[in-house]
Structure formats: C-alpha cells, structure tokens
Amino acid sequence: VLAGPASMLATAIGNVFQQRAADDLRNLGNCRKTWWATFGLLMVLSVPTYALIALIAPDAFALIFGEPWRAAGIYARVLCPFFLLSFAASVLSRMTQLAEKQKQDMLWQFALFALVTTSLFYGAIAGRPVLALSLFSASYSAMYLIYLSMSYKYSGGNNAPPSELQTTHTNVAA
C-alpha cells in the first residue's frame, strides 16, 4: 500500500534523471546540479507524505480497514523512514550504472543483505515484530543514507571539463 504509488512515480522520475544525468556527464563531466535538483524534488514529494503517514497510520488503518488492522498501521509507521529513503535511493541509485560503479554497488548489496538479515533475525528471535521491523527500517535507512552518499560522490564524474574529456578520448582512440 505504501510502496506501490511511490514506485511508479520513482520510475518516471528515475527515467528523466538517468537521461539528464547521462547528458550532463557527457557534456559537463559531472551531473551534480541534476543530482541535487532530483534529490530536492524527491524530498519535497516524500518528506511530507511519509511524515503524514507516520502521524496517522495506526488510526487511519483502523478506521479504513477495521480495528484489527491498527497493528498494520503501527508497522507502516515504523517503516516510513525506510520508504522515504527508498524512494530517493531508488531513483538516484542509477548513478552507479552511469558512473560504471557496479562493483561498489554489489559490495553495498552484500552489506545490506547481511545487516538487514541480522536485524530481522534478532527481532524474530526476540519474538517482537515491531522490534524486527524497527531494526529492519533503521538498518535499511542507514544503508540508504550510505547509498545516497555514494550516488552523490559518483555524480561528480571525473570533474574534467568537456574539452579535456574529448582530448583524452581522442588521444586514447589514436
């Protein structure tokens, strides 16, 4: 319920970001301006939305679906930081492909898997679903912050002016 509409919107924004970032990398040597503009748009769209969901989710779920669904609203509240950062990271993660940093992306994925699995396992062993989801949300959110930082770093390209890039590519080809 929380991820569906955001996923469709993220795909649309991501397609535009990828095209503009690729053009900027090719023409300017970096795409920091496009990265910041896209990040700003994603935050404007997601922060108010997920803040509102976090505030009203338990009561809204109980009202719409019935009192037994209040627990699902509590789970949704706990997952809001994860969904908020997921929305931004899913779009800006395209920088790893554009910057040809697939190896770093794979290492991040391994670390994410280990951290999230450990978090869920600990919460499950404790027999506390809200703790499991809280640890999941916190660990995923922390990893998404790292991912956003990586993406921003990669948006800097090689910082060479376009004329130097063309000269380098011409020299290599010769």
Side-chain angles (χ1 to χ4, degrees), residues 32-148:
R32 289 265 163 92
K33 186 175 179 181
T34 298
W35 192 96
W36 275 113
T38 304
F39 179 76
L41 173 64
L42 295 168
M43 290 298 103
V44 164
L45 293 172
S46 62
V47 169
T49 302
Y50 288 111
L52 179 63
I53 291 169
L55 287 172
I56 68 167
D59 293 334
F61 274 60
L63 179 67
I64 295 167
F65 302 115
E67 192 58 37
W69 283 85
R70 182 174 295 279
I74 293 168
Y75 299 160
R77 171 184 282 164
V78 167
L79 292 171
C80 278
F82 157 73
F83 284 120
L84 186 148
L85 290 168
S86 172
F87 181 63
S90 67
V91 171
L92 297 171
S93 70
R94 295 171 187 227
M95 279 309 311
T96 58
Q97 291 175 339
L98 292 170
E100 298 179 3
K101 300 292 186 180
Q102 288 86 349
K103 180 180 177 182
Q104 291 83 345
D105 185 46
M106 182 184 68
L107 293 172
W108 180 86
Q109 295 287 344
F110 284 138
L112 174 67
F113 176 76
L115 187 59
V116 168
T117 302
T118 302
S119 298
L120 287 172
F121 185 71
Y122 180 78
I125 293 286
R128 298 174 53 199
V130 173
L131 175 63
L133 288 176
S134 296
L135 292 171
F136 170 87
S137 184
S139 60
Y140 231 120
S141 295
M143 289 301 292
Y144 273 146
L145 289 172
I146 291 169
Y147 207 54
L148 287 167

Side-chain angles (χ1 to χ4, degrees), residues 20-34 95 98-99 152-166 169:
R20 288 184 182 168
D23 289 346
D24 287 353
L25 283 171
R26 184 175 41 259
N27 297 324
L28 304 173
N30 75 74
C31 60
R32 289 265 163 92
K33 186 175 179 181
T34 298
M95 279 309 311
L98 292 170
Y152 176 72
K153 178 182 173 187
Y154 301 152
S155 74
N158 63 11
N159 294 317
S163 60
E164 288 182 31
L165 289 174
Q166 291 170 341
H169 291 288

